[in-house]
Amino acid sequence: ADCSMLPSLDSIGFASFDNCGVPTVNFTEYFDIGNCPVDGYLQIMHCGWTATDACGNMDSLFFTVIVYDNLP
């Protein structure tokens, strides 16, 4: 993996629609930095979006990306 090529996940488009007003969407991310020889990965990216409408209803989408070093 080329670390300079890792995507900025907050730039991915996320749309939400609702019958109770326009939802507010918040992006959350955090990283676990690995040590390839010890952990077997370069980085784990945890991220997601939470949408909240004017009535207080919430829905979320979260996912995890594991970056492995596959270059010699």
Side-chain angles (χ1 to χ4, degrees):
D2 182 348
C3 290
S4 66
M5 301 297 290
L6 296 177
S8 172
L9 297 176
D10 63 344
S11 65
I12 295 173
F14 182 88
S16 62
F17 305 93
D18 191 75
N19 292 334
C20 191
V22 177
T24 301
V25 178
N26 293 307
F27 177 75
T28 304
E29 68 181 345
Y30 66 94
F31 302 92
D32 292 321
I33 304 302
N35 177 339
C36 275
V38 175
D39 303 320
Y41 63 88
L42 287 174
Q43 174 173 272
I44 299 177
M45 303 158 57
H46 307 273
C47 37
W49 295 264
T50 299
T52 306
D53 70 9
C55 297
N57 300 311
M58 297 173 59
D59 198 8
S60 299
L61 170 67
F62 286 91
F63 61 95
T64 300
V65 176
I66 301 173
V67 180
Y68 296 101
D69 182 1
N70 60 1
L71 298 176

